[in-house]
Amino acid sequence: MLILILFIIPVIFAIIDIVKHEFEGYGKIIWLLVVLFFYPIGVILYFLIGRSQRIKKV
């Protein structure tokens, strides 16, 4: 049970982060699909690459 929770927490954080921020074009949908379908590599890629692709608020 504890191991299952440890694997789900990064996905939840990534999904919340993606939903809360704006991306250019279809970036939000693409990152959601990558995180959901390519776990755990998708989560790692989002935190390494995807967070820098968010639109910065002025």
Side-chain angles (χ1 to χ4, degrees):
M1 182 71 170
L2 181 63
I3 294 173
L4 180 64
I5 292 171
L6 290 175
F7 282 113
I8 292 175
I9 288 174
V11 175
I12 292 171
F13 279 136
I15 291 171
I16 290 171
D17 195 58
I18 293 168
V19 171
K20 284 175 57 177
H21 294 93
E22 291 295 323
F23 290 84
E24 200 168 304
Y26 293 107
K28 187 178 283 197
I29 295 170
I30 292 169
W31 278 114
L32 280 172
L33 292 174
V34 167
V35 166
L36 291 174
F37 290 119
F38 297 108
Y39 181 81
I41 296 169
V43 175
I44 295 168
L45 286 175
Y46 174 71
F47 284 117
L48 292 177
I49 300 169
R51 294 186 87 191
S52 65
Q53 293 180 354
R54 299 185 299 195
I55 296 175
K56 308 273 191 279
K57 293 186 179 181
V58 179

